[in-house]
């Protein structure tokens, strides 16, 4: 792990927010092929840096995600980060389901691939570099595919969702549970 930190110029003592900021900066600078996605991330990052009073509230493009406890979540404020492989049979089973859930709910998916190739559902997945792997899997979570995380695009707060394939009902139930955890912890920019 120390060699990974040495390569990206960070030490294990680098604060998590600084590591996330550096990670976003590294990601933004290294992948120009995904311009529309990167433009979106850059805009989100710029909005995050601006004073809160200056940030206009845009109308959601999807119906808010309504939790089982009645609270509403703006889909635009969250992304599902997916780790997949083109040769993973569980990914071939799960990824189309995740894509359909994304289209239905408006919660975007940011796909990373461990083998450098996408699949039918996410053909333009980005290769996950060592710094990305450290950021998401350093808590001791085993590296497996598919693995999904829920990320607040404003704060970069990350919540593990699933490892392995799951059906739609199971995914939606876990998503509801994690949104409630996030809102109960007071994560901003997620409730309407």
């Amino acid at each position: 792990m120390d060699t990974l930190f040495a390569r990206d110029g960070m030490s294990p003592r680098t604060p998590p927010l600084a590591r996330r900021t550096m990670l976003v900066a590294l990601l933004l600078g290294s992948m120009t092929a995904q311009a529309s996605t990167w433009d979106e991330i850059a805009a989100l990052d710029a909005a995050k840096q601006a004073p809160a009073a200056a940030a206009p509230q845009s109308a959601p493009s999807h119906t808010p995600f309504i939790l089982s406890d009645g609270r509403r979540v703006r889909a635009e404020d969250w992304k599902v980060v997916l780790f997949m492989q083109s040769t993973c049979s569980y990914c071939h089973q799960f990824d189309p389901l995740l894509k359909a859930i994304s289209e239905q709910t408006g919660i975007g998916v940011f796909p990373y691939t461990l083998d450098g190739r996408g699949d039918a559902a996410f053909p333009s997945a980005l290769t996950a570099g060592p710094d990305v792997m450290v950021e998401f899997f350093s808590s001791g979570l085993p590296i497996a595919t598919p693995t999904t995380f829920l990320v607040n695009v404003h704060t970069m707060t990350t919540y593990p969702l699933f490892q392995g394939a799951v059906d739609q009902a199971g995914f939606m139930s876990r998503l509801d549970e994690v949104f409630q955890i996030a809102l109960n912890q007071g994560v901003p920019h997620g409730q309407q």
Side-chain angles (χ1 to χ4, degrees):
M1 184 177 255
D2 289 333
T3 58
L4 291 174
F5 284 116
R7 280 200 309 227
D8 65 11
M10 293 185 278
S11 75
R13 293 182 191 91
T14 303
L17 182 57
R19 287 178 41 215
R20 284 192 176 111
T21 302
M22 289 181 77
L23 174 64
V24 170
L26 286 171
L27 289 174
L28 290 173
S30 66
M31 300 289 180
T32 58
Q34 299 293 326
S36 63
T37 302
W38 291 122
D39 290 343
E40 179 182 337
I41 291 172
L44 292 171
D45 193 46
K48 184 171 61 172
Q49 301 301 327
Q57 291 292 330
S58 61
S61 61
H62 285 84
T63 304
F65 189 89
I66 301 174
L67 303 178
S68 60
D69 65 3
R71 290 185 284 179
R72 297 169 181 257
V73 176
R74 286 174 33 99
E76 297 82 6
D77 296 330
W78 300 88
K79 292 269 188 208
V80 172
V81 174
L82 166 69
F83 288 87
M84 50 84 67
Q85 294 184 74
S86 66
T87 58
C88 170
S89 62
Y90 295 107
C91 296
H92 290 263
Q93 175 186 351
F94 176 70
D95 292 358
L97 173 74
L98 181 59
K99 185 174 183 170
I101 290 171
S102 172
E103 291 168 355
Q104 176 186 14
T105 63
I107 300 169
V109 176
F110 197 92
Y112 281 110
T113 177
L114 301 186
D115 64 3
R117 296 184 311 253
D119 63 10
F122 299 105
S124 299
L126 299 174
T127 301
D131 47 347
V132 171
M133 298 303 291
V134 166
E135 184 67 32
F136 283 93
F137 292 95
S138 66
S139 66
L141 193 64
I143 297 172
T145 58
T147 297
T148 53
F149 296 88
L150 183 65
V151 178
N152 181 296
V153 300
H154 301 287
T155 65
M156 301 306 282
T157 306
T158 302
Y159 301 90
L161 288 172
F162 276 103
Q163 286 197 297
V166 64
D167 65 8
Q168 182 170 356
F171 188 86
M172 296 303 285
S173 175
R174 175 68 177 155
L175 191 60
D176 182 273
E177 176 186 3
V178 172
F179 273 137
Q180 288 187 46
I181 290 168
L183 296 179
N184 289 341
Q185 290 177 346
V187 173
H189 302 290
Q191 190 173 358
Q192 193 169 350

